[in-house]
Amino acid sequence: MGRVSQLPVVLATRAELEAWHRSHSERRAVVMTMGALHEGHLALVDAALRVASTVIVSIFVNPLQFGPGEDFDAYPRTLDADVRALAGRGVAAVFAPSAAQMYPGGRPSVRVVPGPVGEVFEGAIRPDHFSGVLTVVLKLLALTRPDVALFGQKDAQQLALIRQMARDLNLPVSVVATPIVRDDDGLATSSRNRFLSASQRQAALALPQAIDSGAAAAAQGAGVDEVRRIAGERLARAGDEVSVDYLDVVDSQTFTPLAEGVADSSQALLIGAIRVGGVRLIDNAVLER
């Protein structure tokens, strides 16, 4: 299908979105973002255009998923640049609501409870984070009414929870994952990468290198404990500039740490999270033989 060259229409209110729905009944895909768009987001958009004739991108920095002391106020807000980045890519509309539009009564009293998968790793380090994520995702699904919703594999635990929510709540949407997009140096694309200094970015490369080392070991037949050891040793060489939140091999659906000897499972996932300066980064890889 051809791509339009004009800018997507920007919808700032739920009323504008509702009016837009009345003239767009085609098969629809949504890409949910917090803005500061990068190549990872654009890859999601391109994937969306392959599965639907109409694509809507949401841009909303969701306060519910930021905890005390996190970077909500500092999170980049670049709506004009984001809309320009989507020009010519075939996106029909951008839904960019304010917090008052998304949460007209203030912070909602009713939220989604993530369950056990949301209590470990990212959920243990960032309490209430996944409740905020799932609540806004559910609201955006209700508002944008997509047939397909696309999410990046980089946020693997979030992806697992969204898929579980769709199954458990019988949501009429297909959840599609797209591969991690990396910069030339191997760092997974992230809106937070812009906050890294040159030296910090160099130090941060220890995470994708550790993930790659563990995945390569698994591909050569290493068991789970060996994968953990090899990846951990690479992270340890990064020095004091890198603080490790976690590094583990888990089941990709339940996020339960795997026992020795099952690294060849199609569900095995090597996950890691680090902090470099004030910047927190995550990465992962599916382990294959």
Side-chain angles (χ1 to χ4, degrees), residues 152-189:
Q153 174 63 36
K154 188 192 77 171
D155 298 292
Q157 193 171 359
Q158 170 182 289
L159 174 64
L161 282 163
I162 291 170
R163 282 176 161 160
Q164 184 173 5
M165 178 175 71
R167 291 192 302 269
D168 289 354
L169 301 185
N170 301 112
L171 302 181
V173 64
S174 296
V175 177
V176 173
T178 62
I180 297 173
V181 175
R182 299 185 181 277
D183 291 331
D184 291 341
D185 59 6
L187 200 64
T189 56

Side-chain angles (χ1 to χ4, degrees), residues 29 33 56 59 86 95 98 137 166-167 241-242 288:
T33 82
I56 182 168
I59 296 177
L86 295 172
F95 181 46
S98 65
V137 167
R167 291 192 302 269
E241 197 167 6
V242 172
E288 300 175 346

Side-chain angles (χ1 to χ4, degrees), residues 27-207:
R27 178 175 171 81
R28 181 179 311 148
V30 67
V31 174
M32 299 182 190
T33 82
M34 293 202 299
L37 301 185
H38 50 65
E39 289 302 318
H41 296 121
L42 299 180
L44 282 166
V45 168
D46 291 343
L49 286 163
R50 292 193 288 270
V51 298
S53 55
T54 300
V55 173
I56 182 168
V57 174
S58 69
I59 296 177
F60 177 62
V61 183
N62 176 35
L64 295 189
Q65 67 192 70
F66 289 81
E70 293 188 343
D71 58 351
F72 174 72
D73 291 333
Y75 199 89
R77 292 160 171 83
T78 57
L79 179 59
D80 291 343
D82 292 341
V83 174
R84 289 195 300 272
L86 295 172
R89 302 195 80 94
V91 174
V94 170
F95 181 46
S98 65
Q101 281 291 317
M102 285 299 294
Y103 306 117
R107 289 184 171 244
S109 299
V110 176
R111 302 190 193 187
V112 178
V113 177
V117 178
E119 296 172 355
V120 296
F121 297 105
E122 289 297 297
I125 292 167
R126 306 178 67 188
D128 299 325
H129 169 69
F130 284 128
S131 176
V133 169
L134 294 183
T135 298
V136 78
V137 167
L138 186 59
K139 285 178 69 72
L140 285 169
L141 289 174
L143 289 166
T144 60
R145 307 175 198 168
D147 300 285
V148 184
L150 292 95
F151 298 91
Q153 174 63 36
K154 188 192 77 171
D155 298 292
Q157 193 171 359
Q158 170 182 289
L159 174 64
L161 282 163
I162 291 170
R163 282 176 161 160
Q164 184 173 5
M165 178 175 71
R167 291 192 302 269
D168 289 354
L169 301 185
N170 301 112
L171 302 181
V173 64
S174 296
V175 177
V176 173
T178 62
I180 297 173
V181 175
R182 299 185 181 277
D183 291 331
D184 291 341
D185 59 6
L187 200 64
T189 56
S190 170
S191 301
R192 293 182 168 94
N193 289 354
R194 66 185 66 195
F195 298 125
L196 295 168
S197 68
S199 64
Q200 288 173 337
R201 186 178 181 104
Q202 190 63 33
L205 294 179
L207 179 58

